[in-house]
Amino acid sequence: MILSYASLRNIPEDKKDNYPWALPIVQGLSRITFTKNITFLVGENGSGKSTLLEAIAAASRVPIAGSHRLEEDDSLAGALELGNYLTLKYIDKSGHGLFARAEDFIGFARKVKREIKELTEEIEEVKAGWTGGDLSLAVGAIQGEKNALIKRYSADLEAMSHGEGFLKFFKTRLTGRGLYLIDEPEAALSPSRQLALISLIRRKVKETGSQFIIATHSPIMMAMPESELYMLQDQELLKAEYKETEHYKLTKAFLDAPEVFMKELLQEDE
């Protein structure tokens, strides 16, 4: 475990009607306690679970996985402000960690591709202007940096399928014991890839004692063993059992009788 709890300090009255303070999850939040290495935040779209995760990322100062720093991402402005009002209690601080959204993978893949291209161009420039001596010594360090990037991330992450590249990305970024905050990873993953990510996360917890806090809609992800689950209910963030969530109930009901749901939808369209 890395993080013990996050609590929200008193919010000035003149802020309470504005974003992100007006979000249901923020209105009902006083403290969220973490007792396991894997925690899921569950709620409907617009409930604020992703914003809370982003605010924890801002308060903890873990690096963002994309091509920008947290402070440079305009979409995180509200979460950064909310993070200023969060108090985090650590059990053990770590130099490792990460905040990642599915869309950050695209920015990161492009950043790696750009760096490899720039190193290739630098090598060609040195070769073009080289007049004598051992060329390998002149370009060795640059070539080594390029080879290290390719070995770690592949020559072109974007060329992989989205799910394949996303998993490759996580395998290379989950390093050491740290706090890893992941927002809706299922957006980039098929059901089988979600199971692969579950396996990867559980292995990292076992090997390093890392902590994961994950916002998700996926009944597959939230079924992860040895995890705890918080669900937004009546503007309160409460601990819940997996089978108590609307995500599980609705998915199970649909899979048990998809024709019933389709029939009702068709009737609504008539």
Side-chain angles (χ1 to χ4, degrees):
M1 288 283 291
I2 305 294
L3 189 63
S4 174
Y5 68 77
S7 60
L8 185 63
R9 299 194 294 276
N10 290 334
I11 305 167
E13 287 296 326
D14 62 348
K15 291 181 178 288
K16 289 187 175 181
D17 294 331
N18 302 320
Y19 175 82
W21 318 106
L23 288 169
I25 205 168
V26 177
Q27 291 285 326
L29 180 66
S30 56
R31 174 182 292 193
I32 176 170
T33 302
F34 306 103
T35 62
K36 296 189 178 181
N37 289 76
I38 304 168
T39 303
F40 290 101
L41 305 178
V42 178
E44 287 299 321
N45 290 331
S47 64
K49 64 185 184 305
S50 293
T51 301
L52 175 59
L53 190 72
E54 292 164 357
I56 293 172
S60 65
R61 297 299 173 186
V62 296
I64 190 170
S67 54
H68 300 288
R69 293 166 56 231
L70 279 164
E71 297 81 1
E72 298 171 343
D73 192 328
D74 292 339
S75 69
L76 296 175
L80 283 167
E81 186 178 359
L82 177 58
N84 290 330
Y85 285 83
L86 285 181
T87 298
L88 304 184
K89 174 66 174 179
Y90 293 92
I91 296 173
D92 177 29
K93 281 210 172 186
S94 168
H96 297 278
L98 184 71
F99 167 64
R101 301 167 292 183
E103 61 265 33
D104 290 326
F105 161 71
I106 298 172
F108 181 79
R110 290 173 179 168
K111 178 183 177 183
V112 171
K113 185 177 181 179
R114 184 171 63 252
E115 289 177 356
I116 291 173
K117 181 175 181 291
E118 289 172 353
L119 289 168
T120 301
E121 291 173 350
E122 190 173 348
I123 290 169
E124 293 305 315
E125 286 178 8
V126 172
K127 287 181 177 179
W130 193 249
T131 57
D134 190 344
L135 179 60
S136 64
L137 291 177
V139 299
I142 308 169
Q143 186 66 54
E145 188 177 347
K146 176 184 173 181
N147 291 344
L149 279 173
I150 293 173
K151 181 178 179 181
R152 188 175 187 188
Y153 299 114
S154 88
D156 191 354
L157 276 172
E158 290 183 290
M160 298 181 179
S161 70
H162 201 173
E164 183 185 12
F166 195 62
L167 276 177
K168 171 76 172 178
F169 163 76
F170 269 109
K171 286 177 182 177
T172 56
R173 298 303 298 272
L174 302 184
T175 58
R177 173 179 165 83
L179 177 63
Y180 296 96
L181 311 171
I182 308 174
D183 187 26
E184 300 184 13
E186 69 272 12
L189 300 172
S190 68
S192 65
R193 297 292 187 184
Q194 290 180 49
L195 293 173
L197 180 59
I198 287 172
S199 177
L200 173 62
I201 288 172
R202 296 193 71 216
R203 187 167 68 250
K204 289 297 180 183
V205 168
K206 183 177 180 180
E207 292 174 353
T208 67
S210 291
Q211 184 175 3
F212 292 81
I213 305 174
I214 304 168
T216 186
H217 291 291
S218 168
I220 294 176
M221 292 297 302
M222 65 180 72
M224 197 181 302
E226 301 170 2
S227 64
E228 64 183 341
L229 192 152
Y230 279 95
M231 179 173 62
L232 185 68
Q233 206 168 43
D234 299 325
Q235 289 198 335
E236 282 192 272
L237 197 59
L238 303 172
K239 282 190 178 182
E241 296 297 323
Y242 173 57
K243 292 184 179 181
E244 292 176 353
T245 65
E246 288 300 317
H247 301 72
Y248 170 84
K249 292 176 182 177
L250 181 59
T251 302
K252 185 177 187 305
F254 177 81
L255 293 175
D256 286 345
E259 67 281 355
V260 173
F261 284 82
M262 293 299 105
K263 183 178 179 181
E264 290 179 359
L265 289 173
L266 290 172
Q267 288 175 347
E268 289 176 4
D269 291 340
E270 290 177 357

